[in-house]
Amino acid sequence: MKVALLHYWLTNIRGGEKVFIELCEMFPEADIFTHIITPEIKNTYFPDRKIYTSFINKLPFAEKLYKNYMPLMFKAARTFDLTGYDLIISSESGPIKGINKPERARHICYCHSPMRYVWDMFDDYYQAASLHKKCAMKLFKNYLRKQDLLSAKSVDDFIVNSNFVKERVKRIYKRDAHVIYPPTDVEFFQQSAEITQNDYYLLAGQLVQYKKTNIALEAFKRNGKKLIIAGTGEELNSLKARASQNITFTGRVSDEKLRELYANAQALIFPGIEDFGIVPLEAQATGTPVIAYAGGGALETVIDGETGIFFNEQTPESLNSAIDKFEEIKASFDLGKIKSLTKNFSKQVFKKEFQNFLNK
């Protein structure tokens, strides 16, 4: 088969890009199509691959302003020449799946989520946006929704990363989907060193509004316990300005340092709603339990009372109640068991289940 792999943009390496890298390993001869790729990502991850970009890649300041060109990306995706390809796999949570599909080709879309910023989480993104972005969001909301629905028609089969997203695909696209959990590098995180301290809680990931870091910040300002926040993002400076002395920020850290932070924390704090959420699995792979909001993908990766504890309201009060409960029962958590349960989310399992789907 001649295979094409599509990803919306390759400007950084986050959860969606890690899935795409695994797909590229599964299909080492496949060509890559994307709206934009930075030279650093190309040279680091895809040095010997044939890569095709859309006209978005040539627009002014595209490496930084690519999201501003979102309304043009649906048209740009239709300019890709996929003639002669037998299998097309798109890694998608933006406008790349709306291709002109050759008649004899099969298009499988691994959907991280329908576009959250125009569907379920529009209000969250809108509240966090600047004034000119608010105007653009209002102006293009209906257009982007219409184009997203049209783009789904080119897909023969949907694969999704969680049952949470499966419901979203069913509701928005009126399509059924098959769940294959995304790959987590559990082996790397399971190799954490012996615990040297255990006096802090950890929050890790991108610091943006919808992840609700502000809830954790306020909760720990009230309870006075030690909290380390690892990561960076648009909310970093405002969070720092409001933090109390018991809350510290590390900024961006290496994978090795993050593994150490996970392993030595009392628990990971996870207050947002994620489509899947790899961070809780990374923490559990080191043996660290998770205190998570009972929503989204966390309901599929955290076992209440065995690998973590849920809280039911996205408020500082609800989070602090869960922390109090955790401290009462934390001695009962089996760190070895927490580690072992993450094996079902490994890279090997992802590749095997994806290949089984293709074989069917």
Side-chain angles (χ1 to χ4, degrees):
M1 288 190 301
K2 190 176 181 182
V3 181
L5 300 176
L6 284 61
H7 190 71
Y8 39 97
W9 50 68
L10 291 164
T11 58
N12 47 50
I13 301 299
R14 295 176 183 158
E17 289 72 37
K18 290 179 180 178
V19 172
F20 187 67
I21 289 170
E22 294 302 314
L23 292 172
C24 289
E25 288 186 5
M26 289 181 66
F27 300 94
E29 303 299 322
D31 297 333
I32 293 173
F33 293 78
T34 185
H35 286 303
I36 178 171
I37 185 170
T38 64
E40 180 183 4
I41 298 251
K42 183 181 187 301
N43 295 334
T44 302
Y45 296 95
F46 313 105
D48 302 318
R49 301 297 283 258
K50 186 179 290 186
I51 300 176
Y52 299 94
T53 58
S54 73
F55 64 77
I56 302 295
N57 201 50
K58 299 179 180 178
L59 295 177
F61 308 106
E63 285 189 22
K64 291 187 177 180
L65 301 180
Y66 56 93
K67 291 182 181 179
N68 292 350
Y69 296 126
M70 180 74 68
L72 300 175
M73 289 185 183
F74 293 96
K75 180 179 180 180
R78 293 191 289 271
T79 66
F80 287 128
D81 183 5
L82 295 164
T83 305
Y85 288 94
D86 304 293
L87 176 63
I88 300 165
I89 301 175
S90 57
S91 165
E92 171 73 328
S93 63
I96 193 71
K97 64 184 178 296
I99 53 171
N100 285 321
K101 183 174 74 75
E103 184 176 348
R104 69 187 184 95
R106 191 166 193 88
H107 180 189
I108 296 174
C109 176
Y110 189 93
C111 184
H112 308 288
S113 174
M115 300 167 67
R116 294 176 302 185
Y117 31 88
V118 298
W119 295 107
D120 290 20
M121 300 184 71
F122 176 84
D123 291 341
D124 293 271
Y125 282 92
Y126 184 80
Q127 290 174 9
S130 60
L131 180 60
H132 76 277
K133 286 186 177 180
K134 280 184 168 71
C135 294
M137 289 177 72
K138 284 284 190 181
L139 180 64
F140 288 107
K141 175 184 176 182
N142 290 334
Y143 168 78
L144 292 173
R145 284 188 171 187
K146 180 180 178 180
Q147 292 298 316
D148 191 35
L149 292 174
L150 288 172
S151 71
K153 293 183 178 181
S154 76
V155 177
D156 294 301
D157 303 281
F158 275 103
I159 301 174
V160 291
N161 58 11
S162 65
N163 286 293
F164 179 65
V165 172
K166 179 177 181 176
E167 182 278 329
R168 191 180 280 167
V169 166
K170 184 71 172 179
R171 174 165 42 85
I172 294 172
Y173 297 149
K174 313 301 183 198
R175 298 284 295 277
D176 197 11
H178 181 75
V179 178
I180 299 178
Y181 292 126
T184 303
D185 196 355
V186 295
E187 291 182 351
F188 172 81
F189 288 99
Q190 284 176 343
Q191 295 169 5
S192 55
E194 185 177 345
I195 295 173
T196 57
Q197 65 183 84
N198 197 234
D199 64 342
Y200 64 88
Y201 291 86
L202 177 69
L203 188 147
Q206 192 182 11
L207 304 180
V208 293
Q209 188 177 42
Y210 82 87
K211 291 182 182 285
K212 305 296 183 184
T213 308
N214 61 307
I215 293 173
L217 187 84
E218 184 59 36
F220 279 81
K221 284 173 69 174
R222 298 181 190 182
N223 66 34
K225 302 177 190 297
K226 187 175 179 181
L227 174 67
I228 294 177
I229 298 178
T232 187
E234 60 196 34
E235 281 208 310
L236 177 60
N237 291 333
S238 64
L239 291 167
K240 278 185 173 181
R242 290 156 32 217
S244 51
Q245 291 185 344
N246 58 309
I247 301 172
T248 57
F249 296 81
T250 67
R252 190 185 303 276
V253 297
S254 67
D255 288 344
E256 289 75 15
K257 180 62 178 178
L258 181 60
R259 180 174 61 184
E260 179 186 332
L261 288 170
Y262 283 142
N264 287 287
Q266 292 196 59
L268 175 80
I269 305 297
F270 196 70
I273 298 177
E274 291 279 11
D275 303 324
F276 176 72
I278 287 179
V279 167
L281 277 174
E282 293 176 345
Q284 290 173 88
T286 69
T288 297
V290 177
I291 301 174
Y293 173 65
L299 291 171
E300 299 172 54
T301 61
V302 179
I303 304 174
D304 195 25
E306 290 189 42
T307 69
I309 286 179
F310 289 120
F311 59 100
N312 296 317
E313 297 177 7
Q314 287 180 302
T315 63
E317 294 82 6
S318 185
L319 173 54
N320 273 333
S321 294
I323 293 171
D324 291 340
K325 179 181 178 182
F326 168 76
E327 294 193 345
E328 290 176 2
I329 66 170
K330 65 181 178 181
S332 66
F333 284 96
D334 184 335
L335 304 191
K337 183 178 181 181
I338 294 174
K339 274 189 175 186
S340 68
L341 288 172
T342 61
K343 67 180 184 296
N344 295 324
F345 300 92
S346 69
K347 292 180 179 182
Q348 292 78 10
V349 170
F350 169 80
K351 289 178 178 178
K352 180 180 179 181
E353 292 191 2
F354 202 99
Q355 190 62 58
N356 287 342
F357 181 88
L358 294 181
N359 291 342
K360 284 197 299 182

